[in-house]
Amino acid sequence: MSKANDVISPDSAAPEHDDHHDHHDHIPKGITRWLFTTNHKDIGTLYLWFAFIMFLVGGAMAMVIRAELFQPGLQIVEPDFFNQMTTVHGLIMVFGAVMPAFTGLANWLVPMMIGAPDMALPRMNNWSFWILPFAFLILLSSLFMEGGGPNFGWTFYAPLSTTYSGDSTALFVFSVHIMGISSIMGAINVIVTIFNMRAPGMTWMKMPLFVWTWLITAFLLIAVMPVLAGAVTMVLTDKFFGTSFFDAAGGGDPVMFQHIFWFFGHPEVYIMILPAFGIISHIVPTFSRKPLFGYASMVYATASIALLSFIVWAHHMFTTGMPLFAEMFFMFATMLISVPTGVKVFNWVATMWRGALTFEVPMLFALAFIVLFTIGGLSGLMLAITPVDFQYHDTYFVVAHFHYVLVTGAIFSIMAAVYYWLPKWTGKMFDITLAKWHFWCSLISVNVLFFPMHFVGLAGMPRRIPDYSLQFADFNQWISLGGFAFGLSQLIFLALLIKACRKQGEPVSDQVWEGAHGLEWEIPSPAPYHTFETPPVVK
Amino acid sequence: MATAQNNNSKLVIKLLAVVIGMFGFGFALVPLYDVFCDITGINGKTSNQAASYQSIEVDESREVTVEFITRTNTGMPWEFRAQTHRVKVHPGELNTVEFYVRNPLTKEVVAQAIPSVSPGQAALFLNKTECFCFNQQPLAGGDEASLPMQFYVDPQLPEDINYFTVQYTLYDVTARTNDLPQKENPFLTQQESSGK
């Protein structure tokens, strides 16, 4: 605690702004504000807008995919372009939409939740955002190269990415390197901020759950993003410099690629869901008007999920020909994850039990998250069963599973978070009518979009193929219609966000929501440009 | 202020060390994977060096079926087939099988055969005293050859394995003949021959 006191003395907080102490809400103007900003709120906003734009870009690619799959046969695009769409859609949604959105939320919220004036490393924060647009510019521009962009799936399995890929693979590798550097810098910043800048009295077990889940996520990021960087580097040297990491002719092994990739890949999927658990753990208590049930068990459950995520990677590879004992090990380790995850779901339900529930828009998204994420979790449990995975592997059942956990899981939680904290950021209540339209349209269309994928998957429709057998035609039309509707529904969100950023709407109180508790609800609405220059004391 | 920055930079240095360490770990996974597979034999790779055959007791009471299949990698135009598709052997008994290759091109091609045994555990008990896969095989345009492979099955072969498949995939390595990869290749290093 004395350490925290040292760290945030008022003079050390923002030395550049010493001369503005009387009216410290001086905000720089123009484009340079955004280019040179070191303010955690500005950078949070940049990250969130960037993520939203990438969400729309990746979504447009999903529309191409769904338009092609609306009918059997080749309708609109060439198979090679279709493959580029599935690949870049995946890369953009994972690295461009979900991860930057969570980083944006961390930038906005972590300092406000722990009573810090800013992130610990503000200048690095600026860099970690501003290299990101270039990464995606490189990735997207590769689509216009001769020979096309990456078409080997976002998992870039060797030898698809080493032997059979185009020259644009180099651009893909560099863009992934830049994304990785950005994520690692962001994660280091979050860890240092949380370790060193908590307000006096903010002990570990008093930290809000969003902060806890992000801290654990940040450790996962610094543990696995370097492994991804290693994997893409090996692909680069195999393809262009004659090494044989994954080439059997030179003594390598293509299956090893999958081991290295999924050693990164499985913790990565928890990177995309742990902050969501934190968000839901804020929203459910607020609108239940009860404290969160089982705070400590939530923290331990999050940490257990993070640790378990390192020993389950080969469940993505059951069909590669593993020995029985390895399949058994990875099957049971995977199933074990449902225990801490179940703890979380039951804790949320117990929080709502006998609470004074109201159903404001953030709560609607949170409830949809709990139900739909659980559906995705259960289909994940089905996929974990080795013998049946041989049937489900690489079918639309897998597509249904990971879209339930990522779209109705991660993305719904991000939307819930935006609706929950947006009034604090802008000082105005968002357009509730539009928000409810957005919610109900999204909820219905997302289920029309993804639920039938379970059925076509079980019936044997393979993923990543631009054509399909006739018996899947009806379901695919439903899926495509749901997809178009879900895509259009996000334009409602866009309209709402533009209105909110123009500061239209009813002014809100400091607390905004009746049941909201935490340091971020004690500062004025809208949150001033600089907050907690004098650290609050947490009791 | 100084303390705050000290605390921050200390932590940043530690975290950067983790990042660099994990980047190294990503590459360390390559030899780790090879060593792990060598010990357990789970990826079906056999040794690339000749085993010695001395005073092995033949287990006449047991019969194991060994099946041979061949493949050529994409872009490898050779004809390649096993002359014997299936052979029943007693563990410990020395056997020879022949593989036929023909280079239909007009230029010389250097080939490398990569073995893979399924189920993988059997790889540890397949001892080759002679194999065309130990070396790269050059063949002039239009030539054909019969390549021998001499092996015995270790009598220690687990009881539950009485049938296994050896697959050879032929790769065109003409382009990389200058950097003979095999000898330094940790992947194909000799395992301790278990049947001495």
Side-chain angles (χ1 to χ4, degrees):
Chain A
M1 210 173 92
S2 63
K3 191 175 173 190
N5 261 327
D6 289 344
V7 174
I8 3 176
S9 61
D11 328 304
S12 71
E16 294 113 305
H17 296 282
D18 269 351
D19 31 356
H20 301 303
H21 253 289
D22 294 336
H23 46 103
H24 57 66
D25 244 14
H26 165 80
I27 302 173
K29 293 268 178 287
I31 183 84
T32 52
R33 165 182 173 187
W34 301 103
L35 283 177
F36 303 139
T37 184
T38 55
N39 181 288
H40 72 100
K41 300 184 181 77
D42 281 355
I43 293 173
T45 306
L46 286 171
Y47 262 114
L48 286 167
W49 270 110
F50 178 78
F52 189 60
I53 291 164
M54 283 295 121
F55 176 61
L56 296 179
V57 171
M61 292 173 183
M63 296 300 104
V64 174
I65 294 167
R66 282 326 313 177
E68 174 58 47
L69 293 174
F70 187 70
Q71 287 187 316
L74 294 181
Q75 308 294 336
I76 299 169
V77 295
E78 293 295 312
D80 182 46
F81 188 71
F82 181 88
N83 291 343
Q84 293 173 36
M85 287 292 103
T86 54
T87 305
V88 183
H89 164 75
L91 289 167
I92 288 206
M93 288 306 198
V94 169
F95 295 105
V98 174
M99 289 169 66
F102 279 135
T103 313
L105 290 170
N107 265 291
W108 253 104
L109 297 171
V110 168
M112 288 182 356
M113 285 178 170
I114 62 172
D118 204 313
M119 298 294 276
L121 310 159
R123 216 164 289 280
M124 189 169 87
N125 207 9
N126 173 289
W127 273 100
S128 67
F129 173 76
W130 275 112
I131 60 175
L132 212 46
F134 295 95
F136 285 92
L137 211 59
I138 292 173
L139 181 65
L140 288 170
S141 65
S142 75
L143 286 172
F144 300 98
M145 269 183 74
E146 212 174 321
N151 58 1
F152 30 70
W154 85 276
T155 50
F156 60 103
Y157 276 14
L160 291 177
S161 57
T162 51
T163 309
Y164 302 102
S165 58
D167 289 341
S168 68
T169 307
L171 295 182
F172 156 80
V173 168
F174 294 142
S175 71
V176 171
H177 274 147
I178 301 173
M179 294 167 202
I181 291 168
S182 164
S183 303
I184 289 168
M185 293 202 295
I188 288 178
N189 214 343
V190 167
I191 295 174
V192 177
T193 308
I194 296 174
F195 267 66
N196 288 355
M197 295 182 69
R198 280 169 293 135
M202 176 71 76
T203 55
W204 288 109
M205 290 313 271
K206 278 185 188 167
M207 284 199 321
L209 265 170
F210 181 73
V211 180
W212 254 118
T213 51
W214 235 108
L215 180 66
I216 291 166
T217 303
F219 275 109
L220 286 182
L221 278 166
I222 64 164
V224 299
M225 290 309 279
V227 177
L228 174 71
V232 291
T233 309
M234 291 180 212
V235 164
L236 185 80
T237 58
D238 262 21
K239 180 157 182 61
F240 296 101
F241 303 112
T243 59
S244 299
F245 287 107
F246 310 127
D247 182 4
D253 189 338
V255 175
M256 186 179 68
F257 174 85
Q258 298 183 30
H259 282 288
I260 297 176
F261 179 81
W262 286 114
F263 184 83
F264 146 80
H266 205 78
E268 167 68 17
V269 305
Y270 293 116
I271 286 167
M272 293 189 284
I273 203 65
L274 293 184
F277 292 160
I279 290 163
I280 302 305
S281 304
H282 282 254
I283 294 174
V284 169
T286 297
F287 298 103
S288 307
R289 290 162 185 78
K290 274 177 64 190
L292 182 70
F293 183 90
Y295 169 89
S297 67
M298 285 295 212
V299 173
Y300 297 129
T302 310
S304 328
I305 294 172
L307 290 176
L308 285 173
S309 75
F310 285 101
I311 57 161
V312 298
W313 76 90
H315 66 212
H316 298 267
M317 307 168 50
F318 282 147
T319 60
T320 55
M322 276 190 284
L324 189 63
F325 70 84
E327 299 201 317
M328 301 275 277
F329 171 81
F330 286 109
M331 172 167 90
F332 290 125
T334 306
M335 290 178 166
L336 203 56
I337 293 185
S338 61
V339 176
T341 315
V343 167
K344 287 179 169 294
V345 173
F346 286 121
N347 277 348
W348 293 321
V349 174
T351 307
M352 288 186 275
W353 173 250
R354 292 188 170 171
L357 293 178
T358 51
F359 300 97
E360 282 86 346
V361 178
M363 183 65 163
L364 292 175
F365 272 99
L367 291 173
F369 171 95
I370 296 172
V371 173
L372 299 176
F373 173 79
T374 305
I375 291 177
L378 288 174
S379 59
L381 212 47
M382 290 169 73
L383 285 161
I385 304 168
T386 311
V388 298
D389 182 69
F390 278 71
Q391 180 192 348
Y392 305 157
H393 186 82
D394 258 348
T395 67
Y396 261 79
F397 190 81
V398 179
V399 179
H401 158 68
F402 68 72
H403 281 92
Y404 262 90
V405 289
L406 285 176
V407 178
T408 60
I411 289 179
F412 268 34
S413 83
I414 292 165
M415 287 170 176
V418 169
Y419 283 122
Y420 186 54
W421 281 289
L422 190 62
K424 170 57 66 184
W425 301 336
T426 62
K428 301 282 165 60
M429 183 52 73
F430 51 80
D431 186 330
I432 292 173
T433 318
L434 275 186
K436 288 202 164 158
W437 272 101
H438 175 222
F439 172 73
W440 288 108
C441 289
S442 297
L443 179 73
I444 294 165
S445 60
V446 87
N447 283 293
V448 176
L449 166 58
F450 294 123
F451 208 78
M453 286 185 183
H454 291 112
F455 307 135
V456 290
L458 289 178
M461 181 172 160
R463 58 190 283 218
R464 292 172 169 162
I465 308 281
D467 189 6
Y468 49 83
S469 298
L470 294 179
Q471 73 265 29
F472 304 129
D474 290 350
F475 270 138
N476 269 286
Q477 270 185 6
W478 279 105
I479 293 169
S480 285
L481 290 173
F484 301 143
F486 185 70
L488 289 173
S489 309
Q490 304 323 307
L491 299 180
I492 307 175
F493 192 35
L494 176 66
L496 179 141
L497 288 174
I498 291 171
K499 274 183 90 172
C501 286
R502 289 186 173 164
K503 311 257 165 150
Q504 294 169 357
E506 294 291 312
V508 291
S509 70
D510 290 355
Q511 200 191 5
V512 183
W513 312 103
E514 189 191 29
H517 297 289
L519 285 178
E520 80 269 30
W521 305 112
E522 285 164 22
I523 55 177
S525 295
Y529 199 56
H530 298 292
T531 41
F532 296 127
E533 289 179 297
T534 315
V537 176
V538 180
K539 301 228 165 52
Chain B
M1 164 128 194
T3 340
Q5 284 200 334
N6 274 341
N7 281 342
N8 286 357
S9 33
K10 268 187 211 156
L11 190 53
V12 170
I13 288 165
K14 279 182 203 156
L15 295 171
L16 280 177
V18 175
V19 169
I20 293 163
M22 288 308 292
F23 186 70
F25 179 71
F27 285 90
L29 282 173
V30 177
L32 282 175
Y33 177 85
D34 294 338
V35 169
F36 187 75
C37 289
D38 261 2
I39 295 169
T40 58
I42 53 178
N43 68 345
K45 290 281 188 292
T46 56
S47 165
N48 79 325
Q49 276 169 33
S52 60
Y53 182 75
Q54 287 163 359
S55 61
I56 309 275
E57 203 175 312
V58 179
D59 183 356
E60 298 279 358
S61 65
R62 214 176 145 198
E63 206 172 50
V64 179
T65 308
V66 186
E67 190 182 46
F68 297 95
I69 50 178
T70 56
R71 268 189 74 222
T72 51
N73 191 36
T74 317
M76 176 58 171
W78 284 20
E79 255 178 70
F80 178 38
R81 59 175 182 264
Q83 304 285 44
T84 315
H85 290 286
R86 194 173 290 119
V87 60
K88 290 194 170 170
V89 300
H90 298 298
E93 177 184 68
L94 201 60
N95 292 272
T96 308
V97 284
E98 300 275 334
F99 289 79
Y100 169 82
V101 285
R102 193 177 77 87
N103 178 2
L105 301 182
T106 48
K107 57 172 185 170
E108 189 191 63
V109 170
V110 184
Q112 170 72 55
I114 302 286
S116 175
V117 178
S118 179
Q121 289 104 311
L124 289 181
F125 303 93
L126 175 68
N127 296 308
K128 302 177 195 173
T129 52
E130 186 189 339
C131 182
F132 58 96
C133 61
F134 293 160
N135 300 302
Q136 297 183 335
Q137 301 292 337
L139 205 57
D143 273 12
E144 55 182 15
S146 187
L147 305 174
M149 194 278 253
Q150 196 175 49
F151 71 97
Y152 67 93
V153 175
D154 193 311
Q156 312 277 318
L157 182 75
E159 286 295 328
D160 58 322
I161 302 178
N162 48 32
Y163 192 116
F164 63 88
T165 306
V166 183
Q167 179 192 268
Y168 285 101
T169 308
L170 216 51
Y171 290 83
D172 179 353
V173 291
T174 317
R176 58 167 100 211
T177 34
N178 291 333
D179 52 309
L180 291 168
Q182 288 173 305
K183 290 295 176 213
E184 301 81 33
N185 194 337
F187 200 75
L188 299 169
T189 47
Q190 183 170 25
Q191 294 148 10
E192 281 305 308
S193 166
S194 37
K196 277 182 189 135

